[in-house]
């Protein structure tokens, strides 16, 4: 079921797309793979989009927009009036959407321009303006039912949206686009990904045309899905730009154990790959979830002896909630930005999992009839000497396996 859509790029990737959805004739795709990838989201709006009569445009300042009502199970297409506003004296004209019919009168609204898709890792051809209630989590707004079906398309816990949401297209990629445009089904996909990624993944794209940027040598710990589907190694060397969100304290995390042994690191989770995220039985993940990343989980064990388990949050010997499930692949860099070798990260994860975690388990009575170790004693054992022993043992083992090991230990870099 495809029809020809000329001159557009694929909704999903950057390849020119020549296939389109036969019903709505709005999205374009380069391949069946990309079309299948889009389908779980696309099908939520395709029918209503197809029925919408563009020739019935009430005026030339009305635009085809997408509304997410809080009390309906599906989003819908609606005309949105965006009259021109003249900023007195400034000589600036721009189109100001009248969202009152959908947002309700008297609500304080926030507008956010979406210019990238963190899940597809791409820059959007035209930006999208999203309007939601300023303080929807605390102003008594009800959970938004029409976003539930979208969030359910990936097996990840997602942000809870409340109150109505309205999206309108803006022309171009500028920081301050003044004129509106009709939204298409490709925009719907980008809006869906925004709703899914909100508060979890962001994408910082380097400004194009910028001269060579310095990079930090980091390591990516690949999750089960990235290893099985793309054949990636568990520990992969990666170049990280200084603008990467791993350096942003709102997005990154640290490791208690690495801090204690004097090798402070910064970490962040990567967005899940669409290839394994929406896969149903196409790959064998050996009974594990494709977003499992045990090494990253052990790397984030809590070393606060005073922090205790639920419901206060994760505590002593546990990893934080976001490190317990749906972890995905993880970027690791040194806080001092010195180069990080994949074997350094392997040693760190190995140390956390096989040296430290059993000691922590001992404090929890896991080795009865032994008297549980005191937590303070375990903390004293999380130190440079015990890590160094672990590091040289690992190097010996790798050496025997015929692998090249780095000349310098993480402390000598
Ligand atoms: Zn494509
Ligand atoms: Zn369609």
């Amino acid at each position: 079921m495809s029809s020809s859509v000329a001159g557009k790029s694929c909704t999903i990737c950057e390849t020119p797309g020549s296939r389109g959805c036969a019903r709505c004739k709005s999205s374009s795709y380069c391949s069946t793979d990309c079309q299948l990838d889009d389908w779980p989201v696309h099908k939520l709006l395709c029918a209503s989009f197809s029925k919408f009569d563009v020739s019935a445009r009430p005026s030339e300042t009305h635009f085809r927009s997408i509304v997410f009502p809080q009390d309906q199970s599906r989003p819908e297409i609606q005309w949105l009036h965006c009259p021109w506003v003249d900023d007195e004296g400034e000589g600036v004209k721009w189109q100001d959407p009248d969202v009152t019919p959908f947002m309700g009168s008297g609500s304080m609204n926030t507008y956010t321009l979406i210019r990238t898709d963190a899940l597809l890792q791409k820059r959007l051809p035209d930006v999208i303006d999203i309007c939601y209630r300023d303080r929807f989590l605390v102003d008594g707004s009800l959970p938004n039912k029409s976003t539930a079906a979208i969030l359910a398309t990936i097996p990840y816990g997602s942000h809870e949206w409340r109150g109505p949401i309205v999206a309108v297209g803006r022309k171009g990629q500028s920081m301050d686009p003044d004129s509106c445009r009709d939204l298409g089904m490709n925009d719907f996909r980008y809006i869906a990904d925004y709703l899914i990624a909100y508060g979890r993944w962001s994408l910082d794209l380097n400004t194009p045309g910028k001269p060579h940027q310095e990079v930090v040598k980091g390591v990516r710990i690949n999750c089960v899905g990235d290893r099985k589907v793309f054949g990636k190694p568990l520990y992969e060397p990666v170049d990280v730009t200084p603008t990467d969100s791993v350096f942003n304290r709102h997005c990154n995390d640290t490791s208690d154990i690495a801090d204690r042994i004097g090798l402070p690191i910064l970490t962040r989770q990567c967005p899940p790959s669409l290839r394994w995220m929406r896969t149903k039985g196409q790959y064998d993940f050996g009974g594990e979830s494709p977003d499992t990343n045990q090494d990253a989980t052990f790397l984030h064990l809590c070393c606060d002896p005073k922090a205790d388990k639920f419901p206060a949050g994760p505590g002593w010997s546990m990893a934080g909630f976001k490190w317990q499930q749906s972890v995905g692949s993880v970027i690791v860099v040194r806080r001092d930005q010195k180069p990080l070798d994949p074997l350094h990260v392997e040693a760190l994860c190995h140390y956390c999992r096989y040296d430290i975690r059993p000691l922590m388990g001992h404090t929890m009575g896991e080795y009865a009839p032994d008297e549980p170790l005191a937590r303070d004693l375990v903390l004293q054992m999380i130190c440079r000497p015990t890590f160094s022993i672990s590091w040289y043992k690992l190097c010996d083992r790798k050496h025997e396996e015929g692998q090249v090991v780095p000349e310098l230990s993480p402390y000598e870099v």
Side-chain angles (χ1 to χ4, degrees):
M1 49 172 259
S2 66
S3 67
S4 177
V5 183
K8 280 176 153 184
S9 101
C10 176
T11 300
I12 303 301
C13 67
E14 306 285 358
T15 319
S18 55
R19 312 165 50 87
C21 171
R23 181 159 60 176
C24 66
K25 301 184 175 57
S26 177
S27 282
S28 50
Y29 308 103
C30 68
S31 60
T32 319
D33 272 357
C34 282
Q35 185 164 11
L36 285 174
D37 183 299
D38 196 34
W39 182 244
V41 168
H42 185 96
K43 71 176 181 192
L44 301 174
L45 193 68
C46 179
S48 123
F49 188 95
S50 310
K51 281 189 220 117
F52 195 76
D53 183 6
V54 193
S55 66
R57 190 183 303 272
S59 80
E60 58 181 27
T61 49
H62 277 77
F63 295 91
R64 184 171 57 197
S65 64
I66 302 173
V67 176
F68 300 81
Q70 66 181 17
D71 54 357
Q72 287 178 34
S73 62
R74 293 280 172 102
E76 58 191 27
I77 301 287
Q78 292 279 1
W79 288 118
L80 182 65
H81 191 216
C82 309
W84 284 99
V85 175
D86 229 329
D87 206 344
E88 294 287 328
E90 296 286 330
V92 190
K93 278 182 83 182
W94 52 291
Q95 288 191 291
D96 186 21
D98 176 17
V99 295
T100 318
F102 311 109
M103 301 301 293
S105 57
S107 79
M108 298 283 287
N109 302 323
T110 291
Y111 290 86
T112 300
L113 280 183
I114 315 179
R115 42 188 82 249
T116 57
D117 187 317
L119 298 183
L120 298 175
Q121 299 277 295
K122 69 187 254 180
R123 186 185 297 273
L124 306 188
D126 292 282
V127 299
I128 301 163
D129 214 352
I130 300 245
C131 173
Y132 45 83
R133 286 183 183 157
D134 225 0
R135 306 175 69 227
F136 60 81
L137 282 177
V138 291
D139 69 358
S141 294
L142 297 171
N144 185 304
K145 288 186 189 161
S146 61
T147 58
I150 292 170
L151 302 191
T153 60
I154 74 163
Y156 272 71
S158 287
H159 190 68
E160 187 187 353
W161 291 96
R162 294 191 198 170
I165 300 169
V166 177
V168 63
R170 293 227 171 235
K171 279 183 193 158
Q173 297 178 320
S174 74
M175 288 307 287
D176 207 7
D178 51 10
S179 47
C180 291
R181 65 182 169 91
D182 284 347
L183 284 178
M185 286 301 289
N186 55 338
D187 295 298
F188 177 57
R189 170 54 185 263
Y190 308 142
I191 297 163
D193 285 352
Y194 172 80
L195 297 174
I196 290 170
Y198 185 87
R200 182 148 191 164
W201 301 292
S202 64
L203 176 61
D204 306 316
L205 289 175
N206 293 324
T207 323
K210 250 198 170 171
H212 172 75
Q213 254 189 323
E214 294 239 352
V215 293
V216 177
K217 297 281 177 202
V219 173
R220 181 172 157 126
I221 310 174
N222 284 305
C223 65
V224 169
D226 280 343
R227 299 203 307 267
K228 297 249 161 106
V229 175
F230 302 110
K232 287 178 172 247
L234 180 50
Y235 307 97
E236 182 187 10
V238 287
D239 286 343
V240 182
T241 63
T243 55
D244 191 282
S245 47
V246 75
F247 296 109
N248 177 343
R249 66 191 169 85
H250 297 295
C251 305
N252 66 14
D253 210 337
T254 57
S255 156
D256 280 1
I257 295 178
D259 283 350
R260 293 193 74 90
I261 63 170
L263 292 172
I265 53 168
L266 300 172
T267 62
R268 75 159 167 90
Q269 298 181 346
C270 300
S273 159
L274 295 158
R275 283 274 296 285
W276 48 257
M277 196 168 57
R278 295 200 172 100
T279 297
K280 289 206 176 65
Q282 234 179 305
Y283 297 93
D284 176 15
F285 295 116
E288 288 181 295
S289 166
D291 49 36
T292 302
N293 192 335
Q294 292 217 332
D295 280 23
T297 301
F298 283 105
L299 189 58
H300 292 87
L301 296 180
C302 168
C303 290
D304 180 354
K306 298 209 173 59
D308 255 305
K309 285 197 247 178
F310 312 98
W316 170 256
S317 86
M318 309 269 297
F321 294 127
K322 74 177 214 186
W323 296 106
Q324 288 184 18
Q325 53 180 328
S326 303
V327 176
S329 294
V330 171
I331 301 286
V332 186
V333 292
R334 285 175 67 124
R335 201 177 294 178
D336 59 16
Q337 305 204 0
K338 286 182 178 174
L340 196 55
D341 189 277
L343 198 65
H344 293 161
V345 176
E346 180 169 353
L348 203 49
C349 294
H350 202 269
Y351 177 71
C352 294
R353 183 171 186 172
Y354 298 107
D355 296 328
I356 303 307
R357 167 60 200 135
L359 290 172
M360 289 177 152
H362 200 294
T363 68
M364 313 294 282
E366 287 174 16
Y367 292 83
D370 277 17
E371 264 309 292
L373 264 174
R375 292 182 183 184
D376 283 351
L377 213 54
V378 173
L379 287 180
Q380 285 173 36
M381 288 192 254
I382 307 175
C383 56
R384 177 168 170 169
T386 56
F387 176 73
S388 288
I389 294 168
S390 191
W391 162 256
Y392 285 108
K393 271 193 197 161
L394 181 70
C395 286
D396 284 351
R397 207 162 54 243
K398 294 284 173 185
H399 198 74
E400 278 166 23
E401 287 168 8
Q403 270 196 49
V404 182
V405 299
E407 279 176 31
L408 300 175
S409 86
Y411 293 109
E412 300 166 303
V413 174

